[in-house]
Amino acid sequence: MSKKKGLSADEKRKRMMEFFYEKKDFFQLKELERMCQKEKGITSMSVKEILTSLVDDGMVDTEKIGTSVYFWAFPSKASQNRKRKLADLTEKLNELENKKKSLTDAKMKAMIGKEETDARTELLVELSRKQEEKAALLAEIARYKECDPEVIEQVKAESQTAKEAANRWTDNVFSIKSWIKTKFAFEEEVIDKQFEIPADFDYLE
């Protein structure tokens, strides 16, 4: 025959609480060891361990009177504990719901004016390209700074042509910014931030 499987810790805790609720009385450890084994099938050797865990979790009350230590648990306290826990969880749920609403509102507010448009995308692409051209031209000028006069004059002429082209696009950017300010009443700082236009963006001198 197979060996009978023992009770798990959770089952022992459940049965011991049933014992207290059924008896509605006060007990010493020795009494619990004897009665729980007889009535609930909890071995006397494990009663103290299970009892301690229930006391630690606040499910069983204990008090030392004189030289004796008594233990008890009444259904009314369990009901009060459940109500208190439910109230705490309800309060936490409400707090989380309010926080979620605040975050959602903040997100919606932050998205105003940041919608992706074709004009914005084209402007960003063109701005990036012109910035790269500007950096390349400045590097080219620096590389030929100490070269012979003819090369320098050629570079200057090419740079002037490129600078004029860059400034035309710079003028286009400023025109678009002016149109946006007039059309949507946005501050210039807001436009620069939304289209990622650097604070020092300006015509080439």
Side-chain angles (χ1 to χ4, degrees):
M1 295 179 64
S2 60
K3 186 177 179 180
K4 185 178 179 180
K5 186 178 179 181
L7 298 173
S8 66
D10 286 341
E11 184 63 25
K12 291 176 183 178
R13 285 165 55 93
K14 180 180 178 181
R15 292 193 180 191
M16 187 173 290
M17 292 306 299
E18 289 175 351
F19 173 85
F20 279 115
Y21 292 162
E22 291 167 1
K23 300 299 182 182
K24 298 183 181 66
D25 205 347
F26 302 87
F27 302 92
Q28 295 185 39
L29 179 59
K30 291 296 183 182
E31 295 175 310
L32 291 171
E33 289 175 339
R34 183 180 72 255
M35 298 176 71
C36 285
Q37 178 168 323
K38 180 180 179 181
E39 299 184 25
K40 294 299 180 180
I42 305 172
T43 59
S44 59
M45 294 181 60
S46 62
V47 166
K48 183 176 181 180
E49 178 184 354
I50 299 301
L51 183 62
T52 299
S53 71
L54 293 172
V55 171
D56 292 341
D57 291 344
M59 298 174 67
V60 173
D61 292 317
T62 182
E63 186 72 39
K64 185 175 182 181
I65 303 175
T67 59
S68 301
V69 179
Y70 291 90
F71 301 90
W72 69 93
F74 299 129
S76 58
K77 180 182 178 182
S79 176
Q80 292 172 359
N81 288 340
R82 285 193 295 271
K83 289 180 180 179
R84 182 168 59 251
K85 186 173 183 179
L86 178 61
D88 292 340
L89 291 175
T90 301
E91 182 178 356
K92 290 180 180 178
L93 177 61
N94 290 335
E95 291 176 357
L96 290 174
E97 290 290 346
N98 290 334
K99 186 175 182 180
K100 177 183 176 182
K101 184 178 183 304
S102 297
L103 291 174
T104 301
D105 292 343
K107 176 184 175 182
M108 297 301 295
K109 184 177 180 180
M111 291 175 64
I112 296 176
K114 297 182 180 179
E115 299 82 0
E116 289 292 336
T117 63
D118 292 341
R120 181 178 186 274
T121 301
E122 292 176 4
L123 184 59
L124 288 175
V125 171
E126 190 60 35
L127 175 61
S128 176
R129 190 167 70 84
K130 292 306 176 184
Q131 287 176 334
E132 292 176 359
E133 289 182 3
K134 178 180 178 180
L137 289 172
L138 292 176
E140 188 76 8
I141 291 174
R143 187 157 63 91
Y144 287 106
K145 185 169 60 175
E146 297 181 0
C147 292
D148 63 84
E150 291 183 3
V151 175
I152 292 177
E153 288 302 319
Q154 181 181 354
V155 171
K156 285 183 178 179
E158 293 174 352
S159 298
Q160 181 63 30
T161 300
K163 184 176 72 173
E164 291 173 358
N167 283 338
R168 282 197 299 273
W169 277 104
T170 300
D171 191 58
N172 290 338
V173 171
F174 285 139
S175 296
I176 292 175
K177 285 174 60 177
S178 178
W179 178 81
I180 293 174
K181 284 194 291 184
T182 302
K183 183 71 175 178
F184 301 102
F186 283 176
E187 296 293 334
E188 185 167 348
E189 293 81 7
V190 175
I191 299 174
D192 289 346
K193 182 177 180 181
Q194 298 303 316
F195 288 92
E196 300 177 4
I197 301 176
D200 59 350
F201 180 78
D202 204 347
Y203 295 97
L204 292 176
E205 297 297 331

